[in-house]
């Protein structure tokens, strides 16, 4: 089974620029999550999708972050404009939504550096 | 969502058994206990999940006492490759509305 795919792997941008990350979850996984992981900390949930609908975006800084999940499959997370404190690894995870015993599958993440 | 508390770091040696304990005093009836492992430059990886008593798989064992207010991840005969951050999470994994909230994890360092 193919894992969760994310791209790009690394991205360096200047502050105030915009950036977008892409995630392709495991086929058939209804639930998709975006996490932000700052160096030395645990991942922080930004947004959760169930199919193409948003379940929870309470931690998403909506003035600069946006996310969508087209047709309930791929998802894109965008930051515009970026700030220095947005430097982090952005992780995408997916699950069946009834993943008892199997947990969630994470991608390798996109490492964003804002300079 | 139940909050978890685990040691910030642990050290051990190759070949030893390592036990990492997690405290989750406010665990709810529907909550499962799940452990993840994270290596540098990778996303967290599912290790094991349980509800009560003991669960064992090819990687680890999970011990959960009757009151479920804590759990212990046991790694038998660790090797250098087990050096990673280990996260303990609790939540209702059997729900489409479930979400997992990470704490700071336990940084495990294995020495030769």
């Amino acid at each position: 089974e193919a894992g969760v795919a994310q791209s790009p792997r690394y991205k360096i941008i200047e502050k105030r620029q915009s950036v977008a990350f892409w995630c392709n979850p495991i086929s058939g996984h209804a639930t998709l999550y975006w996490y932000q992981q700052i160096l030395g900390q645990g991942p922080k949930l930004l947004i959760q999708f169930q199919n193409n609908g948003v379940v929870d975006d309470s931690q998403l800084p909506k003035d600069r972050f946006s996310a969508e999940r087209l047709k309930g499959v791929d998802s894109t997370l965008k930051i515009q404009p970026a700030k220095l404190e947005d430097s982090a690894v952005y992780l995408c995870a997916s699950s069946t939504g009834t993943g008892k015993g199997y947990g969630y599958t994470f991608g390798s993440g996109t490492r964003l550096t804002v300079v | 969502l139940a909050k978890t508390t685990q040691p910030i770091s642990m050290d051990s040696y190759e070949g030893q058994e390592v036990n990492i304990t997690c405290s989750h005093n406010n665990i709810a009836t529907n909550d499962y206990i799940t452990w993840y492992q994270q290596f540098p430059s990778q996303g967290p990886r599912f290790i094991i999940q349980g509800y009560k008593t003991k669960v064992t798989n090819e990687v680890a064992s999970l011990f959960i006492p009757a009151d479920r207010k804590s759990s212990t991840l046991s790694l038998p005969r660790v090797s250098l490759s087990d050096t990673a951050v280990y996260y303990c999470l609790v939540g209702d994994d059997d729900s489409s509305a479930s979400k997992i909230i990470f704490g700071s994890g336990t940084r495990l360092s294995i020495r030769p």
Side-chain angles (χ1 to χ4, degrees), chain A residues 44-61:
Chain A
K44 170 190 169 185
L45 178 66
L46 292 176
I47 189 168
Q48 176 185 351
F49 291 95
Q50 178 69 17
N51 295 311
N52 61 349
V54 175
V55 174
D56 183 354
D57 63 356
S58 58
Q59 299 288 334
L60 187 72

Side-chain angles (χ1 to χ4, degrees), chain A residues 56-76:
Chain A
D56 183 354
D57 63 356
S58 58
Q59 299 288 334
L60 187 72
K62 299 180 186 65
D63 58 333
R64 298 184 301 106
F65 286 65
S66 65
E68 61 181 1
R69 189 177 184 195
L70 303 174
K71 300 180 182 178
V73 182
D74 292 6
S75 178
T76 302

Side-chain angles (χ1 to χ4, degrees), chain B residues 12 14 35 39 45 51 53-54 62 84 102 107 109-110:
Chain B
S12 189
E14 281 191 296
W35 286 79
F39 297 113
R45 180 177 74 101
Y51 185 81
T53 63
K54 176 184 175 182
L62 178 60
F102 285 83
R107 188 170 301 274
S109 297
I110 306 299

